[in-house]
Amino acid sequence: MDNFLTTEEILLSLSQHKEVSIPEDEIVKEKKKFKLNKKLIFWSIVVLAVLHLVFMGIPLVMQENSSNLVGYQYGVVFKKNQDTAGQLIGSVSVIDKINPEDIEVGDDILIFGLYDQGNYYWQLEVTEIDLNDQTLRATFDGNIKNLYTFDDVKGELGEDANLVGLFYYTASTPRGFIIMIFFHALIVYVAYYFLIQKKKKDEEIYDEYKE
């Protein structure tokens, strides 16, 4: 019998566990605050998507000069010592800057658009240099040597592009940039649906249920 509570103890326990009521206006304020946060998140995503597209579009607009602004440049490079009569294999790589006056015989350089292939870089090995005329001779296959000016030198081969690099290179082409626009638009739509549209539908269903 000692384990049973007295009437006074039961009443005291109930009074300590009373349900706390929240004013209705406070609930409305919290809901509005929550809605505002969702809208803020959505518009932040929109702004970031637009800025990212602008950033990715710089290489497409500025081409070779984009590295001066964004700090990187990617391109498809045909590496040296391939047979020009056969099928050439190119890889997306970083294009590093190079000072033509620092080039020495035996160095590798990149020339853009050889053999009417305007969208690709070619890796050539320097065989002769004439500093007075600002020219050099270089070969792609180890046999044929052609004369180039220092202005023809577009850089030197950097490391192969990683997944992010492939992503940015894709955006530097017209077709790739259109794909990136679609991809970013899809992200914005998904964010709109889950952050705003779905919430509206849930509220409409709840209002209908209350009626």
Side-chain angles (χ1 to χ4, degrees), residues 115 127 160 162:
Y115 305 109
T127 59
D160 289 343
N162 54 22

Side-chain angles (χ1 to χ4, degrees), residues 64 73-96 98 103 107-126 136-142 144 146 148-149 152-158 169:
E64 298 172 15
Q73 183 180 354
Y74 294 96
V76 175
V77 178
F78 293 128
K79 297 181 180 179
K80 65 178 184 178
N81 296 328
Q82 297 188 56
D83 184 5
T84 55
Q87 183 177 3
L88 297 173
I89 299 175
S91 60
V92 178
S93 305
V94 178
I95 310 300
D96 288 334
I98 188 174
I103 298 173
D107 288 348
D108 293 330
I109 60 173
L110 294 179
I111 303 294
F112 187 75
L114 293 185
Y115 305 109
D116 297 325
Q117 300 291 330
N119 296 323
Y120 307 107
Y121 293 85
W122 298 70
Q123 183 189 31
L124 282 68
E125 182 179 340
V126 178
L136 54 82
R137 288 189 180 275
T139 178
F140 174 73
D141 59 4
I144 301 175
N146 293 315
Y148 304 96
T149 67
D152 292 329
V153 179
K154 300 306 179 182
E156 60 182 342
L157 182 65
Y169 171 73

Side-chain angles (χ1 to χ4, degrees), residues 30-42 195:
E30 287 296 322
K31 286 184 177 180
K32 288 183 178 179
K33 183 179 179 181
F34 186 67
K35 288 181 181 179
L36 179 62
N37 288 340
K38 282 197 170 185
K39 288 183 178 179
L40 181 62
I41 293 172
F42 169 72
L195 293 175

Side-chain angles (χ1 to χ4, degrees), residues 10 20 36 43 60-61 81 87 93 114 133 150 173 175 188:
I10 293 174
V20 179
L36 179 62
W43 286 110
L60 177 63
V61 176
N81 296 328
Q87 183 177 3
S93 305
L114 293 185
D133 291 340
F150 280 8
T173 63
R175 180 180 298 178
V188 170

Side-chain angles (χ1 to χ4, degrees), residues 1 16 26 32 72 81 109 128 146 151 164 177:
M1 297 294 292
Q16 291 176 346
E26 292 294 328
K32 288 183 178 179
Y72 69 88
N81 296 328
I109 60 173
E128 299 176 28
N146 293 315
D151 290 337
V164 175
F177 190 70

Side-chain angles (χ1 to χ4, degrees), residues 1-14:
M1 297 294 292
D2 293 338
N3 294 331
F4 289 101
L5 297 175
T6 64
T7 303
E8 292 179 356
E9 289 174 336
I10 293 174
L11 293 174
L12 179 60
S13 177
L14 290 174

